[in-house]
Amino acid sequence: MNVAVIQFPGSNCDQDCVQAIRQVLNASVRSPQVRLVWHKESSLANVDCVVLPGGFSYGDYLRPGAIARQSPIMQEVVRLAKRGTPVLAICNGFQVATEAGLLPGALMRNRDLQFVCDQVYLRVENVTTRFTMSLRANAKQSRVTAGSPRPVGPRDDKEIPIIRMPIAHADGNYFADTETLQRLEGNGQILFRYCDAHGEATDAANPNGSLRNIAGIINEAGNVLGLMPHPERACDDQIGGHDGRGVFESILI
Amino acid sequence: MKAKIQVTLKNGVLDPQGKAVEHSLASLGFKGVEGVRIGKYIEVDVQAETRAQAEAEVRKMCEQLLANTVIEKYAITIEPS
């Protein structure tokens, strides 16, 4: 699988993403399988997966992700996304994705107005998607095809995996109107929700005020994932945990 | 021509910055402040033959970049340079 990690001026999680993906693919440092793509490039030929990494593209000027969204490479990213190519949009990448209309809603200034840098617990609400299959707590056979955002089969609360990942953002407050939220819930498009250690999606466990504790969502077609937490920073027990590996393994393996 | 644009949060969208400023005003002793909403003010100098043309151009700018219409609305005023 060929993976392209897009770099905007101000992106700063690009190298971490490349590192995490190389680990999962067991690809060497010199392998062209995983490559950085500068925002001014206009082609993503032979790319099987696109990553929009975290950071402060264009210094968050105007609105986070608003200017990056207009970069030449984004036309290609949108074209591939419409064709069904998996797109993993992390933090600033999630902001770029909502600005580009790849995902519904918007990310606003955190409720408490502070930059939050912390480890959070997340409920994995839907383990049948191509981004979360490897996060299943147990390896039960699922009666749904990969890529479908609609969970088929019984949804047992006991089977919801709880994972841990770092967040670091000032504008992660997810907003969408009520109609959109209801649609996201009904379609199983909410993949990750902030929760406490027991898996309860409480107000106290919500670091930024996101509606319904939403930390990550996918589009209707199931190929674009946007999340505020950083899975690429949760791929190594030496720096806090490896729960993020499951997200990369789901897409890449 | 000079376009003066106000970009503000739509009604119903929570504004924690506005709330924080509201509390600060209360701490300063200003009574009777019933609400504060914070927005952006943008000036764009455009070349155009008519005000209508300028406004149409600037409207497109707002829809495409200057405002995030999921959460923001905008108001445009056109003045001669």
Side-chain angles (χ1 to χ4, degrees), chain A residues 9-11 55-65 67 92:
Chain A
S11 295
F56 297 90
S57 58
Y58 293 93
D60 283 357
Y61 293 165
L62 190 61
R63 297 179 306 275
I67 300 181
N92 187 219

Short mmCIF file of all heavy atoms in Angstrom, two decimals, chain A residues 9-11 55-65 67 92:
data_model
loop_
_atom_site.label_atom_id
_atom_site.label_comp_id
_atom_site.label_asym_id
_atom_site.label_seq_id
_atom_site.Cartn_x
_atom_site.Cartn_y
_atom_site.Cartn_z
N PRO A 9 2.65 24.15 4.93
CA PRO A 9 3.53 24.98 5.75
C PRO A 9 2.92 25.05 7.15
O PRO A 9 1.77 25.48 7.29
CB PRO A 9 3.47 26.36 5.05
CG PRO A 9 2.89 26.13 3.71
CD PRO A 9 2.08 24.88 3.79
N GLY A 10 3.68 24.60 8.16
CA GLY A 10 3.14 24.62 9.51
C GLY A 10 2.66 23.27 10.02
O GLY A 10 2.36 23.13 11.21
N SER A 11 2.57 22.27 9.16
CA SER A 11 2.25 20.91 9.63
C SER A 11 3.42 20.47 10.49
O SER A 11 4.57 20.72 10.13
CB SER A 11 2.10 19.93 8.46
OG SER A 11 1.01 20.27 7.64
N GLY A 55 -0.89 19.72 13.22
CA GLY A 55 0.03 20.84 13.19
C GLY A 55 -0.70 22.16 13.19
O GLY A 55 -1.84 22.23 13.65
N PHE A 56 -0.03 23.16 12.68
CA PHE A 56 -0.62 24.50 12.61
C PHE A 56 -0.45 25.05 11.21
O PHE A 56 0.25 26.04 11.00
CB PHE A 56 0.07 25.44 13.63
CG PHE A 56 -0.12 25.00 15.05
CD1 PHE A 56 0.78 24.14 15.64
CD2 PHE A 56 -1.21 25.45 15.78
CE1 PHE A 56 0.61 23.71 16.95
CE2 PHE A 56 -1.39 25.04 17.09
CZ PHE A 56 -0.48 24.17 17.67
N SER A 57 -1.08 24.39 10.24
CA SER A 57 -0.90 24.83 8.85
C SER A 57 -1.27 26.31 8.73
O SER A 57 -2.31 26.76 9.20
CB SER A 57 -1.77 23.98 7.92
OG SER A 57 -3.13 24.07 8.28
N TYR A 58 -0.37 27.06 8.10
CA TYR A 58 -0.58 28.50 7.93
C TYR A 58 -0.87 29.20 9.26
O TYR A 58 -1.60 30.19 9.31
CB TYR A 58 -1.71 28.78 6.93
CG TYR A 58 -1.34 28.35 5.54
CD1 TYR A 58 -1.67 27.09 5.07
CD2 TYR A 58 -0.62 29.20 4.71
CE1 TYR A 58 -1.29 26.67 3.80
CE2 TYR A 58 -0.26 28.80 3.43
CZ TYR A 58 -0.59 27.54 2.98
OH TYR A 58 -0.24 27.13 1.73
N GLY A 59 -0.29 28.67 10.32
CA GLY A 59 -0.42 29.33 11.62
C GLY A 59 -1.86 29.43 12.11
O GLY A 59 -2.17 30.26 12.96
N ASP A 60 -2.75 28.57 11.58
CA ASP A 60 -4.18 28.66 11.93
C ASP A 60 -4.76 30.03 11.55
O ASP A 60 -5.79 30.45 12.11
CB ASP A 60 -4.40 28.43 13.43
CG ASP A 60 -4.32 26.95 13.81
OD1 ASP A 60 -4.17 26.10 12.91
OD2 ASP A 60 -4.41 26.65 15.02
N TYR A 61 -4.13 30.71 10.59
CA TYR A 61 -4.63 32.03 10.19
C TYR A 61 -6.03 31.93 9.64
O TYR A 61 -6.38 30.98 8.97
CB TYR A 61 -3.74 32.66 9.11
CG TYR A 61 -2.36 33.03 9.59
CD1 TYR A 61 -1.36 33.32 8.66
CD2 TYR A 61 -2.03 33.08 10.94
CE1 TYR A 61 -0.08 33.66 9.06
CE2 TYR A 61 -0.75 33.41 11.36
CZ TYR A 61 0.23 33.70 10.42
OH TYR A 61 1.49 34.02 10.80
N LEU A 62 -6.84 32.95 9.88
CA LEU A 62 -8.24 33.03 9.49
C LEU A 62 -9.06 32.02 10.28
O LEU A 62 -9.89 32.37 11.08
CB LEU A 62 -8.44 32.84 7.97
CG LEU A 62 -9.84 33.15 7.44
CD1 LEU A 62 -10.25 34.59 7.69
CD2 LEU A 62 -9.98 32.82 5.96
N ARG A 63 -8.88 30.75 10.02
CA ARG A 63 -9.47 29.65 10.81
C ARG A 63 -8.56 28.45 10.60
O ARG A 63 -7.96 28.31 9.54
CB ARG A 63 -10.86 29.24 10.28
CG ARG A 63 -11.96 30.27 10.35
CD ARG A 63 -13.27 29.71 9.76
NE ARG A 63 -13.13 29.18 8.42
CZ ARG A 63 -13.21 29.92 7.32
NH1 ARG A 63 -13.40 31.22 7.39
NH2 ARG A 63 -13.08 29.34 6.12
N PRO A 64 -8.42 27.60 11.61
CA PRO A 64 -7.56 26.43 11.43
C PRO A 64 -7.97 25.62 10.21
O PRO A 64 -9.12 25.24 10.07
CB PRO A 64 -7.77 25.62 12.71
CG PRO A 64 -8.22 26.62 13.72
CD PRO A 64 -9.02 27.64 12.96
N GLY A 65 -7.01 25.38 9.31
CA GLY A 65 -7.29 24.57 8.14
C GLY A 65 -7.91 25.32 6.97
O GLY A 65 -8.00 24.77 5.88
N ILE A 67 -6.91 27.92 5.17
CA ILE A 67 -6.05 28.27 4.05
C ILE A 67 -5.43 27.02 3.44
O ILE A 67 -5.29 26.91 2.22
CB ILE A 67 -4.99 29.30 4.49
CG1 ILE A 67 -5.71 30.57 5.00
CG2 ILE A 67 -4.05 29.64 3.34
CD1 ILE A 67 -4.80 31.67 5.45
N ASN A 92 -5.27 18.89 12.98
CA ASN A 92 -5.34 19.94 11.97
C ASN A 92 -5.86 19.37 10.66
O ASN A 92 -6.57 20.04 9.90
CB ASN A 92 -3.95 20.58 11.78
CG ASN A 92 -3.96 21.79 10.87
OD1 ASN A 92 -3.06 22.01 10.06
ND2 ASN A 92 -5.00 22.61 10.97
#
